[in-house]
Amino acid sequence: MIKLRLAAMPSCLAIAICTVPATVAAQSTDGGETAAQAWNDEIIVTATKRSESVNDVPMSISAASGDELAAAGIRSADDLGKLVPGFTFTQSAYSTPVYSLRGVGFYNYDIASTPTVTVYQDEAPLPFSAMSRGAGFDLERVEVLKGPQGLLFGSNSTGGAVNYVAARPSDTLEAGLDASYGRFNAWELGGFISAPLSEGVGVRLAARHEGSGEWQRSATRPNDGNGKRNFTQMRALVDIEAGDRLTIKLGANAFWDKSDVQGAQLIQINPLIPPFVNPQTLVQPIVNDDARIGDWTAGTNPRRDDRQWQLTARLDYELSDAITLTTLTSYADYSQSDLVDPDGTALVLADTLATGAIESFFQELRLSGEFGNGSRWIVGANFENNTVQETQVLSATDASGFAPFAIFFNLPIPDLIPLSSEQRFKNYAAFANLDLAVSDTVTVHAGLRYTDTSDRFTGCTGNSANGSLAIGLGILSQGNPFALGPNPACTQLDANLQPTITNARLAENNLSWRFGVDFEPNDDTLLYANVSRGYKIGAFPLIPASSVTQYSPVTQEKLTAYEAGFKLSLADRMVQLNGAVFHYDYRDKQTLGSVILTPDIFGPLNLLVNIPKSKVTGAELQAVVRPTEGLTLNAGVTYVDSKIGTFTNFDPFGVVRNFKGEAFPNTPKWQWTVAADYAFPLSASLNGFVGANASGRSDANGALGENPILAIDGYTLLDLRAGIESEDERWKVTLWGRNVTNQYYWTNAYKISDVSARFAGMPATYGASLSFRY
């Protein structure tokens, strides 16, 4: 085992196609290579479910070590855009994160939304984005795979996959402690201990807590604050070498999140039904230049009360020197109770208590092997069983949409409206892949995956607590008897204007595939070309529905990707230059659209829709230069040109439009990162280091229609760091600043109820970190 200095490692703080040595992560490398050898020869990732050099993988991959993530302040997938051009995080109106790669994402509100970019923990899927918050700590590395990954990583990865690889138990006693303190009384305390328990048995325990004070202030109540952080993570890993051929890896992960939910910022008043707008709505303060200002209903505390635990077990048994049997099992349990107020005002326009639970089981069995001179194969099958229950209790008593109940029907305005759903997902899949070395320089790749999916959905928009919603809808349905009878359990109306519960089943199947060829004339050059197809299963919405048609699902989307690229090591491997061009043929893209029902009493309502045809064309380029010892320069850029084909729908403001030629929502055309890191000796026992990285993106828009109200301006963020460390890396002190220019930016803009609002990014933060290693 060899200890490696962080200063000796190439930076990965600005990568498009990273060439970071994944084995050069926090603690050690396998075998006996030096740090230079790890950089030059053994840049190991497991993107294809086997260990290989990142420069031998014929696809676009980004990777970063756990130390580099910590240095950049990356705590979850939400911040990966700092490292990975083409990766976009969008905070939805109801706090569910949305991840996109190269423009491929699925914006929806509920926790049951199946993402296009799936997050994995040591290859075990976290099938819903809300479950991904606890994956990013005590890591060996993270790998980001771009483009459809439906072959080896599941049917939903049309955009890509993010695989977090945890730091494993060591064969000698190791321990670490990390602490930091910064602006807004933000503090972190974490650590790990890793040791062998006996011959062939190792254990690693890790924990971290993040806390902070308030960083937001109410726009209408200056003494009312928001933004506290209270997040705890734990992990326990056990590795067992049970003989010469059997390896067992067991894991337990958990997190608890009791943080505040960020307050939104009001950017414009857009009443659903202008004649009935509440006069108080018209005088709510607009926010346009201060990230620290937001608003929420007086007397409430938007906050989370979420928790998750996950158990994993992986067994690898070498049936022979050339064939390995692998079984991977995972069970995760997630629950949430989030009070969110996404309207950016002090009024009750869209206040929601979102409670829910997820149970997720995953089982995979696969065989992999090698033959000939460098040829490899893998066959396997997996099963996934997920159950999601969710209830959103909506309160909108100040909204114009419900004002007609009082004006026309002489009824109380509906107060608390429960929106509930239960979904039961079952996925069966079988896959096979072959990498055939037809010569010393040419390898052909081919793979297939068949997936059969089923989603059983039960949806209900319940009656308001005061009963007026059912009565009002009964009057609207021309004196339907239920208006005078007992309150119905569900109030959405069927084609006969009868209240009903929605029970539906969506069954789909698909065949994903990948074909490619790569040419490697020498150890420093790789040229590749791939064509692949991936699918994302259909989805049901959880929305306020007055008609059963709003609960209609979107069907599965299909993406066919064409990609060609190169990976070049130049100037005696002092320069690494990687690039790719790609084109996506996108069919039935899933997105959040709108509908106006008859009679039109509520204005535009949300509806999931399929866009028949669209396309994405782009390119990416990344260069890593190490001109002298201790200095690493890194720059990457991604260009994404997304275009919607002919598609007509309502925009969020109720206008019927043809969106042909528009870019996808939340998809900037340009993203870039630039970084510089320099490490230098201060004395025989002390080293210094300085670093900077900038990341930026061009303009985008938050919704279909490209309405300038929902524009998301481009921005560039600058982070700085400097510090000292002992020569033996036993301790390290870092001073850091993030968004040091205090750039005002926002990550999402949306229309909701009578307003348009957005979520601002964090203002300038700064602090100090201290690390000890034993």
Side-chain angles (χ1 to χ4, degrees), residues 23-102:
T23 50
V24 187
Q27 283 77 38
S28 64
T29 58
D30 295 330
E33 70 269 21
T34 65
Q37 287 172 331
W39 164 241
N40 288 333
D41 300 320
E42 295 297 331
I43 307 171
I44 305 301
V45 294
T46 54
T48 56
K49 294 194 175 180
R50 55 179 169 259
S51 298
E52 57 188 326
S53 167
V54 69
N55 284 335
D56 289 336
V57 181
M59 66 175 69
S60 181
I61 305 173
S62 297
S65 74
D67 282 348
E68 289 166 327
L69 294 170
I74 306 298
R75 296 293 180 263
S76 71
D78 299 1
D79 298 318
L80 281 177
K82 285 186 176 183
L83 300 179
V84 185
F87 184 94
T88 303
F89 157 71
T90 303
Q91 180 176 324
S92 73
Y94 291 96
S95 77
T96 299
V98 178
Y99 305 130
S100 303
L101 268 168
R102 293 175 170 175

Side-chain angles (χ1 to χ4, degrees), residues 449-466:
R449 179 189 185 98
Y450 175 78
T451 304
D452 185 275
T453 69
S454 173
D455 181 4
R456 294 186 179 274
F457 172 84
T458 300
C460 177
T461 297
N463 195 8
S464 57
N466 58 18

Side-chain angles (χ1 to χ4, degrees), residues 418 420 457-463 470 473 477 480 482 487-504 545-551:
S420 60
F457 172 84
T458 300
C460 177
T461 297
N463 195 8
L473 289 176
S477 61
N480 194 289
F482 88 89
N487 287 339
C490 303
T491 61
Q492 66 262 28
L493 304 180
D494 63 17
N496 298 317
L497 300 180
Q498 294 289 327
T500 185
I501 191 171
T502 300
N503 289 296
S546 57
S547 168
V548 294
T549 59
Q550 286 180 264
Y551 283 127

Side-chain angles (χ1 to χ4, degrees), residues 199-230:
E199 184 68 27
V201 179
V203 64
R204 186 182 183 97
L205 304 176
R208 183 174 74 189
H209 180 80
E210 303 172 30
S212 77
E214 299 166 342
W215 66 275
Q216 281 191 303
R217 293 295 170 191
S218 164
T220 54
R221 306 173 306 281
N223 293 325
D224 195 357
N226 180 62
K228 292 181 180 178
R229 180 74 166 160
N230 184 352

